[in-house]
mmCIF file of all heavy atoms in Angstrom:
data_model
loop_
_atom_site.group_PDB
_atom_site.id
_atom_site.type_symbol
_atom_site.label_atom_id
_atom_site.label_comp_id
_atom_site.label_asym_id
_atom_site.label_seq_id
_atom_site.Cartn_x
_atom_site.Cartn_y
_atom_site.Cartn_z
ATOM 1 N N ARG A 129 -138.042 145.095 -49.984
ATOM 2 C CA ARG A 129 -138.095 144.055 -50.908
ATOM 3 C C ARG A 129 -138.768 144.631 -52.278
ATOM 4 O O ARG A 129 -138.343 144.489 -53.252
ATOM 5 C CB ARG A 129 -138.856 142.823 -50.523
ATOM 6 C CG ARG A 129 -138.908 141.750 -51.531
ATOM 7 C CD ARG A 129 -139.653 140.644 -51.035
ATOM 8 N NE ARG A 129 -141.172 140.759 -50.962
ATOM 9 C CZ ARG A 129 -141.926 140.909 -51.844
ATOM 10 N NH1 ARG A 129 -141.608 140.725 -53.175
ATOM 11 N NH2 ARG A 129 -143.306 141.216 -51.656
ATOM 12 N N LYS A 130 -139.959 145.417 -52.022
ATOM 13 C CA LYS A 130 -140.673 146.046 -53.093
ATOM 14 C C LYS A 130 -139.864 147.119 -53.715
ATOM 15 O O LYS A 130 -139.794 147.284 -54.994
ATOM 16 C CB LYS A 130 -141.907 146.629 -52.587
ATOM 17 C CG LYS A 130 -143.063 145.631 -52.315
ATOM 18 C CD LYS A 130 -144.361 146.343 -52.130
ATOM 19 C CE LYS A 130 -145.481 145.336 -52.007
ATOM 20 N NZ LYS A 130 -146.773 145.975 -51.860
ATOM 21 N N GLN A 131 -139.087 147.782 -53.052
ATOM 22 C CA GLN A 131 -138.245 148.953 -53.388
ATOM 23 C C GLN A 131 -137.230 148.256 -54.414
ATOM 24 O O GLN A 131 -136.953 148.814 -55.484
ATOM 25 C CB GLN A 131 -137.549 149.719 -52.400
ATOM 26 C CG GLN A 131 -136.930 150.926 -52.756
ATOM 27 C CD GLN A 131 -136.311 151.778 -51.508
ATOM 28 O OE1 GLN A 131 -136.137 151.138 -50.523
ATOM 29 N NE2 GLN A 131 -136.121 153.010 -51.764
ATOM 30 N N VAL A 132 -136.511 147.348 -53.907
ATOM 31 C CA VAL A 132 -135.412 146.555 -54.844
ATOM 32 C C VAL A 132 -136.101 146.046 -56.080
ATOM 33 O O VAL A 132 -135.536 146.060 -57.131
ATOM 34 C CB VAL A 132 -134.806 145.572 -54.085
ATOM 35 C CG1 VAL A 132 -133.848 144.641 -54.899
ATOM 36 C CG2 VAL A 132 -133.925 146.159 -52.863
ATOM 37 N N GLN A 133 -137.235 145.388 -55.907
ATOM 38 C CA GLN A 133 -137.859 144.844 -57.047
ATOM 39 C C GLN A 133 -138.260 145.878 -58.192
ATOM 40 O O GLN A 133 -138.142 145.778 -59.417
ATOM 41 C CB GLN A 133 -139.086 144.052 -56.820
ATOM 42 C CG GLN A 133 -138.795 142.671 -56.267
ATOM 43 C CD GLN A 133 -139.983 141.821 -55.875
ATOM 44 O OE1 GLN A 133 -141.184 142.285 -55.936
ATOM 45 N NE2 GLN A 133 -139.739 140.495 -55.714
ATOM 46 N N LEU A 134 -138.755 146.998 -57.498
ATOM 47 C CA LEU A 134 -139.086 148.062 -58.491
ATOM 48 C C LEU A 134 -138.054 148.696 -59.220
ATOM 49 O O LEU A 134 -138.128 148.870 -60.434
ATOM 50 C CB LEU A 134 -139.873 149.244 -57.610
ATOM 51 C CG LEU A 134 -141.387 149.162 -57.516
ATOM 52 C CD1 LEU A 134 -141.861 150.211 -56.529
ATOM 53 C CD2 LEU A 134 -142.133 149.327 -58.739
ATOM 54 N N LYS A 135 -136.896 148.836 -58.527
ATOM 55 C CA LYS A 135 -135.810 149.438 -59.136
ATOM 56 C C LYS A 135 -135.282 148.516 -60.245
ATOM 57 O O LYS A 135 -134.864 148.862 -61.340
ATOM 58 C CB LYS A 135 -134.559 149.576 -58.043
ATOM 59 C CG LYS A 135 -133.531 150.409 -58.577
ATOM 60 C CD LYS A 135 -132.577 150.693 -57.505
ATOM 61 C CE LYS A 135 -131.384 151.588 -57.951
ATOM 62 N NZ LYS A 135 -130.449 152.017 -56.916
ATOM 63 N N CYS A 136 -135.220 147.102 -60.012
ATOM 64 C CA CYS A 136 -134.759 146.224 -60.991
ATOM 65 C C CYS A 136 -135.628 146.207 -62.174
ATOM 66 O O CYS A 136 -135.128 146.292 -63.286
ATOM 67 C CB CYS A 136 -134.829 144.696 -60.256
ATOM 68 S SG CYS A 136 -134.633 143.399 -61.347
ATOM 69 N N TRP A 137 -136.974 145.970 -61.981
ATOM 70 C CA TRP A 137 -137.804 145.934 -63.085
ATOM 71 C C TRP A 137 -138.016 147.150 -63.859
ATOM 72 O O TRP A 137 -138.139 147.195 -65.070
ATOM 73 C CB TRP A 137 -139.053 145.195 -62.751
ATOM 74 C CG TRP A 137 -139.032 143.850 -62.345
ATOM 75 C CD1 TRP A 137 -139.091 143.303 -61.012
ATOM 76 C CD2 TRP A 137 -138.644 142.656 -63.200
ATOM 77 N NE1 TRP A 137 -138.795 141.937 -61.111
ATOM 78 C CE2 TRP A 137 -138.576 141.650 -62.384
ATOM 79 C CE3 TRP A 137 -138.378 142.596 -64.512
ATOM 80 C CZ2 TRP A 137 -138.247 140.390 -62.845
ATOM 81 C CZ3 TRP A 137 -138.097 141.361 -65.049
ATOM 82 C CH2 TRP A 137 -137.984 140.235 -64.301
ATOM 83 N N ALA A 138 -137.964 148.300 -63.171
ATOM 84 C CA ALA A 138 -138.082 149.567 -63.812
ATOM 85 C C ALA A 138 -136.803 149.888 -64.663
ATOM 86 O O ALA A 138 -137.004 150.395 -65.806
ATOM 87 C CB ALA A 138 -138.188 150.699 -62.770
ATOM 88 N N THR A 139 -135.683 149.468 -64.238
ATOM 89 C CA THR A 139 -134.537 149.692 -65.051
ATOM 90 C C THR A 139 -134.559 148.732 -66.260
ATOM 91 O O THR A 139 -134.247 149.257 -67.318
ATOM 92 C CB THR A 139 -133.234 149.388 -64.184
ATOM 93 O OG1 THR A 139 -133.205 150.193 -63.076
ATOM 94 C CG2 THR A 139 -132.021 149.668 -64.997
ATOM 95 N N LEU A 140 -134.688 147.569 -66.091
ATOM 96 C CA LEU A 140 -134.918 146.532 -67.188
ATOM 97 C C LEU A 140 -136.021 146.973 -68.268
ATOM 98 O O LEU A 140 -135.596 147.132 -69.427
ATOM 99 C CB LEU A 140 -135.155 145.210 -66.903
ATOM 100 C CG LEU A 140 -135.092 144.175 -67.864
ATOM 101 C CD1 LEU A 140 -133.745 143.938 -68.429
ATOM 102 C CD2 LEU A 140 -135.480 142.839 -67.197
ATOM 103 N N PHE A 141 -137.186 147.200 -67.832
ATOM 104 C CA PHE A 141 -138.370 147.554 -68.757
ATOM 105 C C PHE A 141 -138.134 148.952 -69.382
ATOM 106 O O PHE A 141 -138.461 149.230 -70.437
ATOM 107 C CB PHE A 141 -139.648 147.452 -68.100
ATOM 108 C CG PHE A 141 -140.262 146.112 -68.134
ATOM 109 C CD1 PHE A 141 -140.248 145.274 -66.921
ATOM 110 C CD2 PHE A 141 -140.699 145.518 -69.242
ATOM 111 C CE1 PHE A 141 -140.796 144.036 -66.928
ATOM 112 C CE2 PHE A 141 -141.258 144.349 -69.257
ATOM 113 C CZ PHE A 141 -141.167 143.470 -68.097
ATOM 114 N N GLY A 142 -137.458 149.848 -68.505
ATOM 115 C CA GLY A 142 -137.216 151.170 -69.065
ATOM 116 C C GLY A 142 -136.219 151.170 -70.254
ATOM 117 O O GLY A 142 -136.369 151.803 -71.266
ATOM 118 N N HIS A 143 -135.199 150.290 -70.172
ATOM 119 C CA HIS A 143 -134.180 150.162 -71.217
ATOM 120 C C HIS A 143 -134.888 149.578 -72.397
ATOM 121 O O HIS A 143 -134.632 149.874 -73.550
ATOM 122 C CB HIS A 143 -132.956 149.326 -70.771
ATOM 123 C CG HIS A 143 -132.082 150.070 -69.872
ATOM 124 N ND1 HIS A 143 -131.731 149.766 -68.603
ATOM 125 C CD2 HIS A 143 -131.383 151.274 -70.265
ATOM 126 C CE1 HIS A 143 -130.838 150.544 -68.100
ATOM 127 N NE2 HIS A 143 -130.735 151.568 -68.918
ATOM 128 N N ILE A 144 -135.653 148.384 -72.189
ATOM 129 C CA ILE A 144 -136.268 147.737 -73.258
ATOM 130 C C ILE A 144 -137.152 148.618 -74.026
ATOM 131 O O ILE A 144 -137.162 148.737 -75.256
ATOM 132 C CB ILE A 144 -137.061 146.429 -72.774
ATOM 133 C CG1 ILE A 144 -136.023 145.514 -72.371
ATOM 134 C CG2 ILE A 144 -137.793 145.835 -73.981
ATOM 135 C CD1 ILE A 144 -136.641 144.224 -71.596
ATOM 136 N N THR A 145 -137.961 149.377 -73.272
ATOM 137 C CA THR A 145 -138.974 150.479 -73.890
ATOM 138 C C THR A 145 -138.129 151.538 -74.694
ATOM 139 O O THR A 145 -138.599 151.872 -75.851
ATOM 140 C CB THR A 145 -139.777 151.024 -72.755
ATOM 141 O OG1 THR A 145 -140.540 150.025 -72.065
ATOM 142 C CG2 THR A 145 -140.839 151.932 -73.309
ATOM 143 N N GLY A 146 -137.008 151.909 -74.103
ATOM 144 C CA GLY A 146 -136.303 152.871 -74.873
ATOM 145 C C GLY A 146 -135.662 152.279 -76.185
ATOM 146 O O GLY A 146 -135.741 152.989 -77.165
ATOM 147 N N PHE A 147 -135.211 150.947 -76.082
ATOM 148 C CA PHE A 147 -134.750 150.407 -77.381
ATOM 149 C C PHE A 147 -135.840 150.317 -78.312
ATOM 150 O O PHE A 147 -135.581 150.379 -79.643
ATOM 151 C CB PHE A 147 -134.109 149.095 -77.107
ATOM 152 C CG PHE A 147 -132.868 149.253 -76.274
ATOM 153 C CD1 PHE A 147 -132.703 148.339 -75.258
ATOM 154 C CD2 PHE A 147 -131.872 150.207 -76.485
ATOM 155 C CE1 PHE A 147 -131.379 148.525 -74.424
ATOM 156 C CE2 PHE A 147 -130.824 150.338 -75.751
ATOM 157 C CZ PHE A 147 -130.402 149.514 -74.700
ATOM 158 N N ALA A 148 -137.009 149.961 -77.973
ATOM 159 C CA ALA A 148 -138.252 149.802 -78.813
ATOM 160 C C ALA A 148 -138.662 151.123 -79.388
ATOM 161 O O ALA A 148 -139.061 151.144 -80.629
ATOM 162 C CB ALA A 148 -139.455 149.184 -78.126
ATOM 163 N N CYS A 149 -138.443 152.276 -78.641
ATOM 164 C CA CYS A 149 -138.798 153.576 -79.182
ATOM 165 C C CYS A 149 -137.718 153.967 -80.090
ATOM 166 O O CYS A 149 -138.046 154.597 -81.193
ATOM 167 C CB CYS A 149 -138.958 154.473 -78.048
ATOM 168 S SG CYS A 149 -140.496 154.297 -76.985
ATOM 169 N N ILE A 150 -136.529 153.704 -79.910
ATOM 170 C CA ILE A 150 -135.334 154.056 -80.813
ATOM 171 C C ILE A 150 -135.662 153.379 -82.087
ATOM 172 O O ILE A 150 -135.567 153.927 -83.143
ATOM 173 C CB ILE A 150 -134.009 153.618 -80.203
ATOM 174 C CG1 ILE A 150 -133.619 154.601 -79.111
ATOM 175 C CG2 ILE A 150 -132.971 153.634 -81.233
ATOM 176 C CD1 ILE A 150 -132.304 154.044 -78.292
ATOM 177 N N ASN A 151 -136.052 152.039 -82.063
ATOM 178 C CA ASN A 151 -136.412 151.169 -83.217
ATOM 179 C C ASN A 151 -137.495 151.903 -84.109
ATOM 180 O O ASN A 151 -137.426 151.974 -85.305
ATOM 181 C CB ASN A 151 -136.550 149.869 -82.907
ATOM 182 C CG ASN A 151 -136.789 148.920 -84.084
ATOM 183 O OD1 ASN A 151 -136.007 148.940 -84.962
ATOM 184 N ND2 ASN A 151 -137.963 148.177 -84.052
ATOM 185 N N ALA A 152 -138.454 152.195 -83.354
ATOM 186 C CA ALA A 152 -139.715 152.752 -83.962
ATOM 187 C C ALA A 152 -139.411 154.069 -84.650
ATOM 188 O O ALA A 152 -139.772 154.362 -85.885
ATOM 189 C CB ALA A 152 -140.896 152.973 -82.976
ATOM 190 N N PHE A 153 -138.650 155.003 -83.974
ATOM 191 C CA PHE A 153 -138.399 156.337 -84.628
ATOM 192 C C PHE A 153 -137.363 156.213 -85.725
ATOM 193 O O PHE A 153 -137.292 157.022 -86.599
ATOM 194 C CB PHE A 153 -138.003 157.304 -83.425
ATOM 195 C CG PHE A 153 -139.227 157.897 -82.780
ATOM 196 C CD1 PHE A 153 -139.529 157.362 -81.454
ATOM 197 C CD2 PHE A 153 -139.976 158.896 -83.426
ATOM 198 C CE1 PHE A 153 -140.756 157.884 -80.893
ATOM 199 C CE2 PHE A 153 -141.107 159.375 -82.750
ATOM 200 C CZ PHE A 153 -141.512 158.858 -81.398
ATOM 201 N N ALA A 154 -136.460 155.128 -85.706
ATOM 202 C CA ALA A 154 -135.462 154.943 -86.666
ATOM 203 C C ALA A 154 -136.272 154.488 -88.015
ATOM 204 O O ALA A 154 -135.955 154.963 -89.004
ATOM 205 C CB ALA A 154 -134.450 153.978 -86.291
ATOM 206 N N THR A 155 -137.347 153.703 -87.665
ATOM 207 C CA THR A 155 -138.118 153.295 -88.844
ATOM 208 C C THR A 155 -138.905 154.444 -89.398
ATOM 209 O O THR A 155 -138.983 154.568 -90.689
ATOM 210 C CB THR A 155 -139.147 152.181 -88.444
ATOM 211 O OG1 THR A 155 -138.337 151.121 -87.806
ATOM 212 C CG2 THR A 155 -139.943 151.685 -89.622
ATOM 213 N N LEU A 156 -139.356 155.428 -88.561
ATOM 214 C CA LEU A 156 -139.965 156.547 -89.091
ATOM 215 C C LEU A 156 -139.152 157.451 -89.829
ATOM 216 O O LEU A 156 -139.375 157.908 -90.831
ATOM 217 C CB LEU A 156 -140.499 157.375 -87.780
ATOM 218 C CG LEU A 156 -141.241 158.685 -88.109
ATOM 219 C CD1 LEU A 156 -142.426 158.535 -88.996
ATOM 220 C CD2 LEU A 156 -141.555 159.424 -86.811
ATOM 221 N N GLN A 157 -137.879 157.582 -89.361
ATOM 222 C CA GLN A 157 -136.914 158.310 -89.984
ATOM 223 C C GLN A 157 -136.593 157.808 -91.463
ATOM 224 O O GLN A 157 -136.407 158.594 -92.578
ATOM 225 C CB GLN A 157 -135.601 158.503 -89.281
ATOM 226 C CG GLN A 157 -134.565 159.394 -89.887
ATOM 227 C CD GLN A 157 -133.347 159.511 -88.928
ATOM 228 O OE1 GLN A 157 -133.123 158.764 -87.918
ATOM 229 N NE2 GLN A 157 -132.477 160.535 -89.094
ATOM 230 N N ILE A 158 -136.449 156.507 -91.562
ATOM 231 C CA ILE A 158 -136.148 155.841 -92.719
ATOM 232 C C ILE A 158 -137.365 156.001 -93.806
ATOM 233 O O ILE A 158 -137.213 156.402 -94.906
ATOM 234 C CB ILE A 158 -135.936 154.295 -92.562
ATOM 235 C CG1 ILE A 158 -134.630 154.136 -91.943
ATOM 236 C CG2 ILE A 158 -135.927 153.597 -93.896
ATOM 237 C CD1 ILE A 158 -134.186 152.779 -91.489
ATOM 238 N N PHE A 159 -138.523 155.907 -93.116
ATOM 239 C CA PHE A 159 -139.862 156.028 -93.988
ATOM 240 C C PHE A 159 -139.833 157.499 -94.545
ATOM 241 O O PHE A 159 -140.194 157.677 -95.715
ATOM 242 C CB PHE A 159 -141.068 155.819 -93.020
ATOM 243 C CG PHE A 159 -142.344 156.025 -93.700
ATOM 244 C CD1 PHE A 159 -142.936 155.075 -94.667
ATOM 245 C CD2 PHE A 159 -143.128 157.101 -93.499
ATOM 246 C CE1 PHE A 159 -144.156 155.300 -95.274
ATOM 247 C CE2 PHE A 159 -144.316 157.285 -93.963
ATOM 248 C CZ PHE A 159 -144.890 156.386 -94.945
ATOM 249 N N VAL A 160 -139.510 158.494 -93.721
ATOM 250 C CA VAL A 160 -139.543 159.834 -94.152
ATOM 251 C C VAL A 160 -138.512 160.130 -95.201
ATOM 252 O O VAL A 160 -138.850 160.818 -96.225
ATOM 253 C CB VAL A 160 -139.531 160.867 -92.919
ATOM 254 C CG1 VAL A 160 -139.327 162.330 -93.363
ATOM 255 C CG2 VAL A 160 -140.647 160.738 -92.040
ATOM 256 N N MET A 161 -137.369 159.657 -94.878
ATOM 257 C CA MET A 161 -136.283 159.846 -95.888
ATOM 258 C C MET A 161 -136.642 159.238 -97.274
ATOM 259 O O MET A 161 -136.287 159.757 -98.271
ATOM 260 C CB MET A 161 -135.013 159.456 -95.318
ATOM 261 C CG MET A 161 -134.518 160.227 -94.118
ATOM 262 S SD MET A 161 -134.351 161.902 -94.560
ATOM 263 C CE MET A 161 -132.993 162.017 -95.582
ATOM 264 N N THR A 162 -137.190 157.968 -97.372
ATOM 265 C CA THR A 162 -137.509 157.331 -98.532
ATOM 266 C C THR A 162 -138.581 158.082 -99.300
ATOM 267 O O THR A 162 -138.603 158.070 -100.511
ATOM 268 C CB THR A 162 -137.925 155.811 -98.367
ATOM 269 O OG1 THR A 162 -139.039 155.802 -97.504
ATOM 270 C CG2 THR A 162 -136.705 155.147 -97.785
ATOM 271 N N LYS A 163 -139.496 158.727 -98.558
ATOM 272 C CA LYS A 163 -140.565 159.521 -99.210
ATOM 273 C C LYS A 163 -140.155 160.816 -99.825
ATOM 274 O O LYS A 163 -140.541 161.124 -100.835
ATOM 275 C CB LYS A 163 -141.660 159.786 -98.244
ATOM 276 C CG LYS A 163 -142.464 158.592 -97.712
ATOM 277 C CD LYS A 163 -143.161 157.911 -98.922
ATOM 278 C CE LYS A 163 -143.885 156.823 -98.500
ATOM 279 N NZ LYS A 163 -144.388 156.026 -99.555
ATOM 280 N N LYS A 164 -138.959 161.342 -99.186
ATOM 281 C CA LYS A 164 -138.453 162.569 -99.754
ATOM 282 C C LYS A 164 -137.661 162.372 -100.933
ATOM 283 O O LYS A 164 -137.580 163.141 -101.956
ATOM 284 C CB LYS A 164 -137.519 163.289 -98.779
ATOM 285 C CG LYS A 164 -138.283 163.951 -97.619
ATOM 286 C CD LYS A 164 -137.314 164.657 -96.741
ATOM 287 C CE LYS A 164 -138.065 165.391 -95.642
ATOM 288 N NZ LYS A 164 -137.056 166.152 -94.690
#
Side-chain angles (χ1 to χ4, degrees):
R129 185 184 65 78
K130 279 187 178 183
Q131 188 178 21
V132 168
Q133 283 186 344
L134 271 172
K135 191 173 184 180
C136 167
W137 292 108
T139 304
L140 184 64
F141 275 103
H143 285 122
I144 294 172
T145 303
F147 295 136
C149 289
I150 289 170
N151 184 52
F153 281 99
T155 304
L156 176 64
Q157 186 176 13
I158 292 169
F159 178 74
V160 169
M161 294 306 290
T162 57
K163 291 297 176 189
K164 284 185 178 180

